[in-house]
Amino acid sequence: EIESYTQVFAVWIPDELRGKSATDYFNNVCDYYYKELELNKDLIVNRLIKIASWLLVGSFLFLTATDIYIKNYGDISANQPTDEFIQEAEAVGYIYKRDEADIRLLTYNLLSDSLGFEGTDASERAGGVCSIIEELSPDVICFQEMSRKWFASVKNNTNYKFINFFRTAVFGAMTTMAYNNKKVDLLFSGEKTFSVGGDSRLRRMVWGIFSNKLNGKPFAVVNIHFDLSKKNEAAIFDDSLQMSQALETTRFVRDVIDTMKCPVFILGDFNVKQSTREKISPVYEILDSVFYNAKKYAKSVSEGSLSQSVTSKNDHVFYYGNVSIERYCLLSNESFGYLSDHYPIFVDVRLEK
C-alpha cells in the first residue's frame, strides 16, 4: 500500500561516503523510513479502531440512559385524563377529519415546568396533550417550551420522531419539532439560534424539509419562538429583539424557498399579536408583508369559545408557496385549558402541483 502514496524526502549523505558506501547508506535510511511509516500507519489504524469502539460504546450507553430516562419520567399512567376529557378529544378528532388535505401541521406551546415558568408538573398534563395528538394525528408538530419531562412524556406515549432529539434530550432545547414517519419522510433538518435574543434553548428556529409519503410532494416547516417585548426604562414596550428575530426569520425562510423550491410553513409562538389597541404590530407587519397568514386565507376557520385569550393571539401560522389552506383551527376548548396557557393550533393543507 506504500506505493499508493507519493513520498518526497531528502537524505543527507556524509561527505566522506562515496560510491557503494553512499548507496548503502541511502538504502538503509530508506528502509528505516519505510518501516517507521508502516508502524505509524498501524498505530493510526489501531487508534481509529479504539476511537470508533469508544464512540459505539458511548452511543450505546447514551441511548440506554436516554431510554431509561424516557421510560421513567415519561410514565404518565398515574395521571390519565378524565373520561370527559377523552370524549371531548375524540369528538375533536371526529369533527376535524382531514378530508382532502395532504398534510396537517400543529403548533403547541406546552408551558414549561422548568426555567421558572409557571407550568405544573408536565406528567400531570401530558396525558391530555398526548390524547389530543393521538386524535388529531398531525404529520408535523411544532413544540415550544418543551422541558425534558415534557419531552420524555410525549416521546414515551406517542409514536412521533423528534428532529433535534439529542439537543432536546441532553441540552434541553425547548423549541423542537416532531413528525409522523409513517406519513412523511424527513429529507433535511437543522436548527439555528437567533443571533440576538434571550435563552438560546427557547429563542431559536428548528426546521425540516419533508415529503408526503402518498404523493411525494415536498414542503418545509419552520418552528420559531420569539422573545417577549418588555418595558424599557421609560416604561415603553421595546420590541427590538422581536424585530431582529422577525427579520432573521424572513431572511432564513427566503433562503429555504430559493434553495428548496417548495412551500414553507412558519409556525410557533411569535409573542406578537396581530394588533394592539387598533394599531398593527410592526413585528407582525413585517411577517405579514412577506408571508401569508393561514387564518386569513383558510377556507374554514374554527377558533373555539376561548379564542380571545391573550396568549392564543401570540401564536400564528404563516406560509409561502402554492398551497390551499383547507382548515385553520384554534382548539380553545374550555376543558383543554389546564394543559397550558396556550391552545393548540392546527392547519390542514392541500399541496398544489
Side-chain angles (χ1 to χ4, degrees):
E1 295 182 3
I2 293 177
E3 287 76 13
S4 64
Y5 297 90
T6 300
Q7 300 294 332
V8 179
F9 58 93
V11 177
W12 176 79
I13 299 175
D15 293 339
E16 64 270 17
L17 298 179
R18 294 288 186 275
K20 186 175 182 303
S21 298
T23 302
D24 290 342
Y25 182 89
F26 177 81
N27 289 335
N28 289 336
V29 171
C30 288
D31 288 342
Y32 175 80
Y33 175 81
Y34 284 133
K35 288 178 182 178
E36 287 297 310
L37 181 63
E38 288 289 344
L39 289 173
N40 288 335
K41 185 180 70 173
D42 292 339
L43 181 63
I44 291 172
V45 170
N46 289 333
R47 285 180 177 175
L48 288 174
I49 291 173
K50 286 182 179 179
I51 291 172
S53 299
W54 280 112
L55 287 174
L56 287 172
V57 171
S59 298
F60 174 76
L61 292 175
F62 165 73
L63 291 173
T64 301
T66 303
D67 188 57
I68 293 171
Y69 177 87
I70 289 172
K71 288 181 178 178
N72 286 342
Y73 287 92
D75 183 6
I76 58 174
S77 56
N79 295 290
Q80 290 299 310
T82 63
D83 291 340
E84 290 78 11
F85 183 98
I86 293 175
Q87 288 175 3
E88 183 150 358
E90 289 175 346
V92 164
Y94 179 79
I95 294 170
Y96 299 116
K97 292 182 179 179
R98 280 198 200 207
D99 299 325
E100 297 181 1
D102 291 315
I103 56 172
R104 173 170 286 181
L105 311 176
L106 183 143
T107 179
Y108 204 165
N109 183 319
L110 298 171
L111 181 57
S112 177
D113 56 353
S114 64
L115 292 183
F117 287 91
E118 298 178 356
T120 56
D121 193 312
S123 61
E124 298 174 1
R125 299 177 282 145
V129 170
C130 291
S131 294
I132 292 172
I133 291 173
E134 181 181 358
E135 293 301 329
L136 290 177
S137 188
D139 298 309
V140 181
I141 309 173
C142 296
F143 289 113
Q144 303 88 42
E145 295 188 26
M146 174 168 264
S147 65
R148 289 188 179 91
K149 188 169 282 189
W150 264 120
F151 167 75
S153 298
V154 174
K155 180 66 178 170
N156 193 47
N157 295 280
T158 69
N159 293 319
Y160 282 77
K161 305 289 184 182
F162 280 81
I163 281 184
N164 50 346
F165 179 94
F166 185 81
R167 283 197 58 82
T168 304
V170 178
F171 296 106
M174 302 173 76
T175 301
T176 185
M177 190 183 299
Y179 65 99
N180 186 337
N181 67 338
K182 294 181 180 179
K183 296 181 178 180
V184 296
D185 290 317
L186 176 64
L187 305 179
F188 308 101
S189 66
E191 52 190 314
K192 175 180 172 58
T193 301
F194 287 118
S195 55
V196 177
D199 193 323
S200 62
R201 290 170 292 182
L202 291 164
R203 312 309 175 191
R204 59 195 302 106
M205 290 184 282
V206 179
W207 58 272
I209 311 295
F210 302 91
S211 68
N212 185 299
K213 279 185 177 289
L214 290 178
N215 53 35
K217 294 176 181 178
F219 62 96
V221 180
V222 181
N223 179 21
I224 63 91
H225 192 182
F226 284 179
D227 266 286
L228 284 162
S229 62
K230 297 179 181 180
K231 287 184 178 180
N232 58 22
E233 295 178 356
I236 299 173
F237 278 102
D238 181 5
D239 57 7
S240 59
L241 285 179
Q242 293 175 320
M243 291 286 284
S244 172
Q245 291 164 1
L247 291 170
E248 192 170 349
T249 299
T250 59
R251 287 193 297 267
F252 175 78
V253 173
R254 279 172 171 166
D255 287 343
V256 173
I257 293 168
D258 292 340
T259 304
M260 302 307 301
K261 310 296 184 185
C262 68
V264 181
F265 301 89
I266 309 96
L267 301 85
D269 180 1
F270 294 76
N271 275 316
V272 171
K273 299 175 182 62
Q274 182 172 344
S275 61
T276 304
R277 296 179 181 176
E278 307 304 323
K279 180 182 178 182
I280 299 296
S281 161
V283 179
Y284 177 88
E285 201 166 19
I286 289 174
L287 298 166
D288 195 47
S289 66
V290 179
F291 311 120
Y292 299 101
N293 188 324
K295 177 182 172 182
K296 191 185 301 184
Y297 293 94
K299 293 180 180 178
S300 170
V301 176
S302 305
E303 294 192 280
S305 58
L306 303 175
S307 60
Q308 298 304 309
S309 65
V310 174
T311 51
S312 294
K313 295 181 179 180
N314 293 333
D315 303 326
H316 305 285
V317 179
F318 291 97
Y319 70 95
Y320 188 93
N322 187 21
V323 303
S324 174
I325 307 297
E326 301 296 306
R327 175 185 287 118
Y328 169 97
C329 183
L330 167 64
L331 289 174
S332 63
N333 302 34
E334 187 171 354
S335 57
F336 297 167
Y338 81 97
L339 299 176
S340 173
D341 58 344
H342 292 247
Y343 293 99
I345 296 174
F346 74 87
V347 290
D348 288 341
V349 182
R350 185 157 49 85
L351 302 170
E352 306 290 355
K353 294 182 180 180

